Amino acid sequence: MGLFDFLRSEKKKRAAAGKAAAPPAADYATTYADAVAATKEAAERMAAAAPPKPAPAPPKAGRPPQRPATAAHPPHTPTPASAAHKAVPAAPAPPGPTGTGAVTRTYTVRAGDSLTSIALRELGNEGRWRELYAMNRGVIGANPHLIHPGQVLTLPGTSPR
């Protein structure tokens, strides 16, 4: 037995002796009921001390009720870094004139492919699968997780890789 094992066993012995010498703990249900009663009493005292809320004014006829804009909550304008803006898939780029040398890239789906793997391999970022799906929703259908070998997908971007 090593030194640390010895110290650990002594600590356990002292803890067991302390538990045996301590008075029995109060019943859990009684303690819990006391805490609930104390919380209710505190809530009632706080409600009694609070000033009464004024009744809401009746709405004016002819106009729907409007919420006033407060300084604490100004209206939100989406920015490129906001989550609401990121959740919307990017709109496909409008097709350019074909005589200017613009190249439309396509990809033929192979067995084992997914939109994520295609986006990673062809676009360099697996997170762009939503953009890929948005451009090819007519080819893929309603379920973006169900693509079939042989489907020809249009890739975002106008320059070849």
Side-chain angles (χ1 to χ4, degrees):
M1 178 185 266
L3 175 64
F4 293 109
D5 294 332
F6 174 75
L7 292 175
R8 199 175 301 136
S9 67
E10 287 296 315
K11 187 176 178 182
K12 285 182 182 178
K13 287 178 188 175
R14 274 188 261 128
K19 283 184 182 178
D27 184 10
Y28 175 76
T30 306
T31 304
Y32 181 72
D34 292 342
V36 170
T39 304
K40 281 184 181 178
E41 289 171 7
E44 289 170 358
R45 282 193 309 269
M46 289 171 51
K53 293 183 180 180
K60 294 181 182 178
R63 251 194 205 183
Q66 294 181 350
R67 239 174 83 185
T70 61
H73 297 289
H76 176 70
T77 303
T79 63
S82 70
H85 181 39
K86 291 178 185 176
V88 177
T98 56
T100 61
V103 177
T104 302
R105 294 176 49 209
T106 60
Y107 178 82
T108 304
V109 177
R110 298 183 293 227
D113 277 346
S114 66
L115 289 179
T116 306
S117 65
I118 295 169
L120 179 61
R121 184 170 46 250
E122 297 297 320
L123 306 175
N125 182 354
E126 65 184 15
R128 292 183 68 188
W129 74 267
R130 287 182 178 88
E131 184 180 355
L132 188 61
Y133 175 61
M135 287 188 73
N136 296 285
R137 190 180 308 255
V139 176
I140 297 170
N143 187 354
H145 303 292
L146 184 62
I147 58 175
H148 302 287
Q151 289 177 325
V152 178
L153 307 178
T154 304
L155 299 176
T158 57
S159 61
R161 185 169 173 170

